[in-house]
Amino acid sequence: MTAFNIVRFRVKPGREAHFIAAHRSARPGFKGFRGGALVKTGERTFCIVGEWASFKKMAEARPQMIAMLDTFRGDLEDLGGGLGLTDPVSGELVLKLAVKKPAKKAKAKKARRKKRR
């Protein structure tokens, strides 16, 4: 079953460019990794969201993910509250939210089908 991991970071002042570049140049070869996104959530705060084929594959990749983290660990600031440098959470997909197609496009598609007949 599909799984996701989300990790929150705060970057030290003046280190954002290096932090982003480290993610831009990363080409993770983690088995079961389907892709992800780096999201800027505020002033010097970011989250990374990763999608995985299964929770097991994600757990198996943890040593590799930590090795990747080590390449930019110096860019990170302690989050406070006893969290340390990262605030990770993960879990299995419960519900995939579908996007409703705009009615306008659906009507145009139906009209094209009628013309072909």
Side-chain angles (χ1 to χ4, degrees):
M1 176 177 273
T2 300
F4 288 87
N5 71 311
I6 302 97
V7 182
R8 185 169 59 101
F9 308 96
R10 182 181 308 125
V11 179
K12 291 177 181 174
R15 302 297 294 261
E16 281 188 58
H18 183 267
F19 175 79
I20 293 168
H23 284 84
R24 182 175 286 123
S25 64
R27 298 289 181 252
F30 312 139
K31 254 188 166 173
F33 183 65
R34 293 182 175 165
L38 181 64
V39 181
K40 185 168 183 171
T41 58
E43 184 65 32
R44 298 186 299 115
T45 61
F46 295 83
C47 282
I48 190 156
V49 179
E51 181 178 352
W52 298 84
S54 69
F55 196 88
K56 182 180 181 208
K57 293 288 184 191
M58 181 184 61
E60 290 170 349
R62 281 190 183 126
Q64 293 170 287
M65 287 189 280
I66 291 168
M68 185 175 151
L69 171 65
D70 288 343
T71 68
F72 58 84
R73 189 179 296 276
D75 297 333
L76 302 179
E77 186 173 281
D78 192 294
L79 292 167
L83 290 172
L85 298 177
T86 64
D87 182 17
V89 294
S90 58
E92 291 184 326
L93 179 67
V94 175
L95 173 68
K96 184 164 182 153
L97 303 174
V99 177
K100 184 177 178 181
K101 291 184 180 182
K104 195 177 192 179
K105 288 184 180 180
K107 286 180 183 178
K109 191 174 183 180
K110 191 175 179 179
R112 283 193 303 269
R113 274 194 243 144
K114 275 187 174 181
K115 282 185 180 180
R116 290 182 195 156
R117 293 181 191 173

